[in-house]
Amino acid sequence: MAPRTISDTDLVARLETVFRDIGYDGASLATIADATGLQKSSLYNRFPGGKQQMAAEVAGSVGAQFATDILSPLTTDAPAADRIERVAANLETFYRGGEHPCLLNMLSVGDPGTAARTHLRDGADHWISVFADVARGAGATRDDATARAQDAICAVEGALVLARVTGRTDAFHRALTRLPALLLGNSPS
């Protein structure tokens, strides 16, 4: 029987699901092989760096997707509140209403390797940067804008962790609703 083939895009998507659902440490090669439909030898052939290379490729792929598909409305000329609301809608979709764990969180436990940690840090830094740019556009100082960006991300990320633990997504929805107020410095309604 010929080995089953899978495109690189599909393979990375399946690896993302494994890492997102059970984390880096929880993802054994047997689990990864089962999820991808590939034998361990085929996985090592595609990823000579093993599980750390898999995590790095997933982190890089998700970081790129996040920058283009989720955060890109922040770089348009639309009014700031409209841009933030579009990003909130994108986050709602990306995280499936708060039911989809965050890869940033799930890959931060254990040792996914230097390359994966670099992709994760770069993704977080980009998220902070674009959120801070919006806050600066609303008149915040550089330090206050960075603090607002970090607080907004903590609200979203913390709500995702809480949703995973409790099975309730209400805090996630509140965090998304509060994004404009958190970034623009308005009182939440």
Side-chain angles (χ1 to χ4, degrees), residues 6 14 21 28 31 46 49 59 77 88 95 100 103 144 148 159 162-163 177 179 185:
I6 181 173
R14 290 181 189 185
D21 289 347
S28 68
T31 302
R46 303 252 314 246
D77 292 331
Y95 290 119
H100 202 65
L103 190 68
D144 186 44
R148 287 181 193 184
L162 192 60
T177 300
L179 277 181

Side-chain angles (χ1 to χ4, degrees), residues 81-105:
D82 293 345
R83 290 181 282 152
I84 296 167
E85 287 176 12
R86 182 66 202 141
V87 167
N90 291 346
L91 289 166
E92 172 81 23
T93 300
F94 185 77
Y95 290 119
R96 296 184 187 148
E99 295 177 1
H100 202 65
C102 179
L103 190 68
L104 183 69
N105 176 34

Side-chain angles (χ1 to χ4, degrees), residues 4-91:
R4 186 172 161 202
T5 61
I6 181 173
S7 73
D8 290 343
T9 302
D10 287 343
L11 180 55
V12 170
R14 290 181 189 185
L15 290 170
E16 177 190 340
T17 298
V18 170
F19 290 134
R20 187 182 298 278
D21 289 347
I22 60 178
Y24 180 80
D25 279 354
S28 68
L29 282 179
T31 302
I32 292 169
D34 187 49
T36 61
L38 296 175
Q39 295 179 1
K40 292 179 189 179
S41 60
S42 294
L43 286 167
Y44 276 116
N45 186 46
R46 303 252 314 246
F47 300 98
K51 194 167 82 165
Q52 286 188 344
Q53 183 182 358
M54 293 175 208
E57 290 197 26
V58 167
S61 173
V62 170
Q65 178 189 8
F66 210 81
T68 59
D69 296 346
I70 310 302
L71 300 175
S72 61
L74 294 176
T75 62
T76 68
D77 292 331
D82 293 345
R83 290 181 282 152
I84 296 167
E85 287 176 12
R86 182 66 202 141
V87 167
N90 291 346
L91 289 166

